[in-house]
């Protein structure tokens, strides 16, 4: 499985993004705000790595010739670097409260692995007892074409794992909103 993105929830998204820019060479990809039904908000920055990502990342999933839920044969052995997703939120919001519970600093909220079939990986993880999930089904977005789901925090690592299938780059604002809401 290829690491697709690392999601941080932080106190100040701009300061964190500047750090990733200066220290790692990440640049701003997209920026958007999510407004929840209760009026609270989350502000998000998607940062892209300095290395160019292969246009067909769907083939970058599993270093094996076997077809598995994680993917098929890789097209290339070169590393496809993960994006970084940074969000913050005000007091009383999903993200703001999560950061406040962690000393006001925040941290890694989830790590997203790219898989070929999100539902199949969910079923395998449920059967094997690796993790529970926040939703029964993957969250589906049509444009851009992607599927995502969150595990509950792992009892062994403390973090949430996301499984994602996407053809190209870019996040789906509505899916991010739905995913965040599943963790409430
Ligand atoms: Fe994510």
């Amino acid at each position: 499985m290829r690491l697709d993105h690392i999601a941080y929830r932080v106190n100040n998204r701009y300061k964190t993004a500047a750090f990733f820019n200066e220290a790692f060479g990440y640049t701003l990809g997209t920026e958007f705000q999510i407004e929840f039904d209760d009026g609270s908000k989350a502000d998000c920055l998607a940062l892209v790595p300095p290395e160019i990502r292969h246009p067909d990342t769907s083939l970058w999933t599993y270093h094996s010739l076997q077809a598995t839920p994680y993917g098929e044969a890789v097209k290339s052995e070169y590393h496809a670097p993960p994006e970084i997703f940074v969000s913050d939120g005000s007091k009383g919001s999903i993200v703001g409260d999560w950061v406040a519970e962690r000393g006001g600093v925040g941290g890694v909220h989830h790590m997203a692995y790219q898989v070929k079939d999100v539902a199949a990986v969910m079923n395998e993880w449920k059967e094997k007892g690796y993790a529970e999930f926040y939703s029964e089904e993957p969250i589906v977005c049509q444009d851009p074409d992607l599927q995502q789901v969150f595990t509950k925090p792992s009892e062994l690592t403390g973090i949430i794992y996301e499984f994602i299938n996407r053809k190209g780059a870019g996040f789906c604002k509505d899916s991010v909103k739905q995913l965040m809401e599943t963790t409430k």
Side-chain angles (χ1 to χ4, degrees):
M1 279 194 270
R2 173 188 163 265
L3 186 60
D4 181 271
H5 62 271
I6 303 167
Y8 296 87
R9 289 182 172 182
V10 301
N11 180 256
N12 182 315
R13 67 190 183 285
Y14 290 120
K15 283 187 181 171
T16 303
F19 158 68
F20 280 117
N21 175 253
E22 289 160 25
F24 293 93
Y26 275 80
T27 52
L28 181 65
T30 52
E31 180 171 10
F32 57 88
Q33 184 179 68
I34 292 164
E35 189 167 346
F36 297 100
D37 297 341
D38 66 0
S40 66
K41 294 178 179 105
D43 286 289
C44 310
L45 302 176
L47 308 177
V48 292
E51 302 92 344
I52 296 169
R53 182 191 177 103
H54 192 281
D56 191 354
T57 54
S58 63
L59 295 172
W60 279 75
T61 48
Y62 197 62
H63 194 157
S64 162
L65 293 175
Q66 294 174 322
T68 76
Y70 302 110
E72 292 175 292
V74 289
K75 192 170 192 174
S76 164
E77 294 182 9
Y78 290 108
H79 172 62
E83 290 180 18
I84 286 178
F85 193 78
V86 181
S87 56
D88 65 24
S90 56
K91 198 171 167 232
S93 68
I94 294 174
V95 175
D97 288 352
W98 193 91
V99 172
E101 285 164 16
R102 286 155 185 84
V105 176
V108 173
H109 177 260
H110 66 266
M111 292 171 64
Y113 284 89
Q114 181 176 348
V115 299
K116 187 188 175 205
D117 185 334
V118 174
V121 174
M122 274 182 86
N123 289 337
E124 185 185 337
W125 275 48
K126 281 186 195 169
E127 273 171 28
K128 293 182 174 169
Y130 294 152
E132 293 176 20
F133 289 82
Y134 275 120
S135 58
E136 287 299 313
E137 304 282 334
I139 308 292
V140 178
C141 180
Q142 308 293 344
D143 184 26
D145 180 9
L146 55 82
Q147 293 194 16
Q148 292 161 282
V149 76
F150 275 165
T151 69
K152 291 184 178 175
S154 164
E155 289 177 357
L156 299 175
T157 66
I159 73 157
I160 289 167
Y161 292 97
E162 174 185 327
F163 297 118
I164 180 169
N165 178 315
R166 57 175 175 167
K167 300 289 181 283
F171 288 95
C172 178
K173 187 175 158 180
D174 197 51
S175 290
V176 174
K177 179 184 174 187
Q178 289 182 56
L179 282 163
M180 283 184 175
E181 283 175 329
T182 65
T183 67
K184 257 200 224 170

